[in-house]
Amino acid sequence: MPDVAPKREIKQTDPKPSLPPGMVLGPDGKPCKICTAFRSWKPTAQNDNAQADKSSGKKNTAAMMAAFASGKGFASTPDPDVRPEHCPPDVEQLGRATWTFLHTTAAYYPEKPTPNQRANMLTLLRSLPVLYPCSHCASHLDSNIRDHPPNVSGRVALSRWLCERHNDVNERLGKPKFDCSIEKTDERWKDGPSDGSCD
Ligand SMILES: Cc1cc2nc3c(=O)[nH]c(=O)nc-3n(C[C@H](O)[C@H](O)[C@H](O)COP(=O)(O)OP(=O)(O)OC[C@H]3O[C@@H](n4cnc5c(N)ncnc54)[C@H](O)[C@@H]3O)c2cc1C
């Protein structure tokens, strides 16, 4: 498990305000943005909002009524959990982008790769634990790859191996496991569903 900032309330008199709950610390002991979900970056956004809601309930109700009256509804209210487009990635966006790249690359990997293709795939996979910017993700991946060496013998074996590594992360994060049959990984990462909705 990553080092996570202890849950401690920020008091105005506190000379060293605590870190937001959920903010992960990097190997240097400092807050690590790329190891943390965006919703945990901001110290007390939700608490502040809740507090503001309590103290200015009437004002907020009036603002909401005005927004609906003008036809805007809630559309202009930014969601504090959603990372604005111009911001650097958080651990989740980086993870989704990396999985997309890896699963797609596996789906299009040759059935019978040349020795050179195998060697390059091995280099790519073995470089991840060294270079992946989320340090605790990288260290979990490192031990996982040691326990389960990559199978780069062909696209079916590689797709399954990668799916199982992703499932190991899913399990650790309490997310559902994915069916690692080639039919399901191809459907998700290569062909799309048979109903044609992605054609
Ligand atoms: C190597 C690596 C290690 C990571 N380690 C951590 C960590 O330690 N802590 C942390 O908080 N986050 C970690 N992440 C990020 C995490 O895995 C997710 O990417 C992130 O939480 C966003 O999750 P998501 O629910 O949007 O979907 P993702 O898990 O990003 O999945 C994207 C899509 O892939 C498909 N999918 C899901 N599972 C599988 C599978 N097994 N095989 C094929 N396709 C699948 C689904 O359609 C899903 O929508 C890691 C990411 C990577 C690449």
Side-chain angles (χ1 to χ4, degrees):
M1 284 294 283
D3 290 334
V4 174
K7 290 190 180 179
R8 190 158 65 87
E9 277 189 15
I10 298 176
K11 294 186 187 132
Q12 283 206 322
T13 51
D14 195 339
K16 266 189 179 177
S18 63
L19 294 165
M23 170 63 89
V24 176
L25 305 180
D28 57 1
K30 294 182 181 162
C32 174
K33 278 189 170 181
I34 196 62
C35 312
T36 308
F38 176 74
R39 60 184 161 277
S40 302
W41 286 6
K42 297 207 171 148
T44 50
Q46 280 172 344
N47 295 347
D48 288 353
N49 287 346
Q51 195 54 43
D53 285 352
K54 265 189 210 162
S55 57
S56 62
K58 279 185 194 162
K59 235 197 247 172
N60 285 346
T61 310
M64 260 172 6
M65 304 279 279
F68 275 114
S70 71
K72 285 183 187 161
F74 286 115
S76 58
T77 310
D79 181 340
D81 284 354
V82 176
R83 195 192 120 279
E85 269 307 305
H86 66 277
C87 295
D90 67 351
V91 69
E92 295 183 347
Q93 197 200 9
L94 175 69
R96 278 190 285 272
T98 306
W99 290 126
T100 298
F101 167 66
L102 291 174
H103 288 300
T104 310
T105 304
Y108 286 88
Y109 187 66
E111 301 281 355
K112 290 183 182 166
T114 63
N116 186 39
Q117 286 168 323
R118 289 179 192 215
N120 276 292
M121 180 54 79
L122 270 182
T123 302
L124 170 67
L125 297 171
R126 286 183 182 150
S127 67
L128 279 173
V130 182
L131 298 173
Y132 200 71
C134 162
S135 48
H136 69 88
C137 308
S139 108
H140 281 297
L141 184 63
D142 186 37
S143 48
N144 197 315
I145 287 188
R146 280 174 204 277
D147 291 345
H148 306 278
N151 186 338
V152 297
S153 59
R155 70 169 212 99
V156 175
L158 179 63
S159 297
R160 173 171 284 279
W161 176 86
L162 192 61
C163 178
E164 287 169 351
R165 304 293 64 77
H166 192 164
N167 270 345
D168 290 338
V169 179
N170 289 343
E171 192 174 16
R172 196 155 41 76
L173 299 180
K175 297 186 185 191
K177 283 199 177 190
F178 197 89
D179 178 345
C180 289
S181 63
I182 192 66
E183 292 76 20
K184 289 295 175 191
T185 53
D186 271 359
E187 178 182 298
R188 174 65 180 90
W189 298 107
K190 194 160 177 263
D191 301 328
S194 54
D195 64 7
S197 54
C198 298
D199 295 343

